[in-house]
Amino acid sequence: MSPSPRAPLRLHRACSELPAPAKLALPPSLSATTVIIYRDLISHDAMFSDIYKIREIADGLCLEVGGKVVSRIEGNIDDSLIGGNASTEGPEGGGTESTVVTGVDTVVNHHLQETSFTEEAYKKYIKDYMKSVKGKLEQRPERVKPFMTRAAEQIKHILANFKNYQFFIGANMNPEGMVALLDYREDGVTPFMISFKDGLEMEMDLEMV
């Protein structure tokens, strides 16, 4: 008899609190796959996962997520890697034509939505966003001062390079949520995305198979 399906174990933690997954002693008949989903602390939208190359920048204030430009048939996305359901929308009547989506993999996989700002509009947004994240950090008061100090410095850097960025929000398009910044390496073709670390929470999906 086949074993019953096992629901994934999900653990939620603020991004700076979750330690590396511990090794589990499993019966020989079981194995476990762990994927960490990084979600917007405000909207709870999935922004990226640990399948990408991630590194801390700006003295640990931000996470930089490496990406690549991909072309995919709409809906042909592995949900287990992104922590969400792939889009299955298409023409009514089940036509034979497929829609090919081309874009940065982090954007396509997580259905991030592009938005736009004037420099003045971004200043207003980021001021309100910083207040929101500060409020969330009150449960961890030791994080408030470092976040606010380093964020002020990083915002100056963002504004100085404002024209370089494309702006993306989560799939639910919450205007109060995180706006991730998309930029490209010096080669002009290799994308990377920047997010404020303290504006993220991590969801650990441990699925027994």
Side-chain angles (χ1 to χ4, degrees):
M1 180 180 296
S2 299
S4 301
R6 294 171 173 84
L9 172 65
R10 290 186 170 88
L11 303 175
H12 297 267
R13 293 290 188 274
C15 195
S16 57
E17 287 185 336
L18 190 62
K23 292 185 177 179
L24 300 178
L26 299 174
S29 60
L30 291 178
S31 61
T33 300
T34 302
V35 176
I36 297 178
I37 310 300
Y38 292 77
R39 294 187 178 274
D40 181 351
L41 189 62
I42 295 172
S43 71
H44 307 295
D45 286 331
M47 302 300 287
F48 55 92
S49 73
D50 65 348
I51 68 169
Y52 308 101
K53 184 177 180 180
I54 302 170
R55 71 184 184 105
E56 292 187 353
I57 61 171
D59 295 325
L61 176 73
C62 296
L63 295 181
E64 180 188 279
V65 183
K68 60 184 178 181
V69 176
V70 296
S71 294
R72 298 209 177 109
I73 297 174
E74 187 177 23
N76 189 21
I77 298 172
D78 185 352
D79 295 353
S80 67
L81 298 179
I82 66 175
N85 292 324
S87 171
T88 57
E89 295 180 0
E92 294 184 2
T96 58
E97 292 186 4
S98 298
T99 301
V100 176
V101 178
T102 299
V104 176
D105 53 357
T106 49
V107 173
V108 174
N109 288 349
H110 297 277
H111 309 294
L112 303 186
Q113 304 297 310
E114 187 169 10
T115 186
S116 62
F117 290 94
T118 64
E119 191 168 336
E120 288 303 314
Y122 183 79
K123 287 179 183 178
K124 182 181 186 304
Y125 156 77
I126 200 66
K127 181 178 179 180
D128 293 339
Y129 176 74
M130 291 296 115
K131 288 181 180 179
S132 296
V133 174
K134 181 181 178 182
K136 297 284 187 180
L137 290 178
E138 288 179 353
Q139 298 177 0
R140 295 178 290 145
E142 75 282 358
R143 291 292 307 155
V144 173
K145 186 176 180 180
F147 171 73
M148 297 303 291
T149 300
R150 293 173 185 170
E153 297 172 358
Q154 181 66 10
I155 291 167
K156 290 179 182 178
H157 174 77
I158 292 170
L159 293 174
N161 297 276
F162 191 77
K163 293 182 179 180
N164 293 347
Y165 299 118
Q166 290 174 257
F167 304 93
F168 289 87
I169 58 177
N172 289 317
M173 302 182 70
N174 185 334
E176 297 179 356
M178 171 179 290
V179 174
L181 308 175
L182 180 69
D183 197 0
Y184 288 81
R185 305 288 183 200
E186 289 79 4
D187 61 10
V189 297
T190 306
F192 62 93
M193 191 164 282
I194 299 171
S195 301
F196 285 101
K197 181 179 177 180
D198 284 297
L200 295 163
E201 59 184 358
M202 292 198 293
E203 175 184 286
M204 183 190 298
D205 279 13
L206 181 62
E207 185 170 356
M208 303 299 182
V209 293

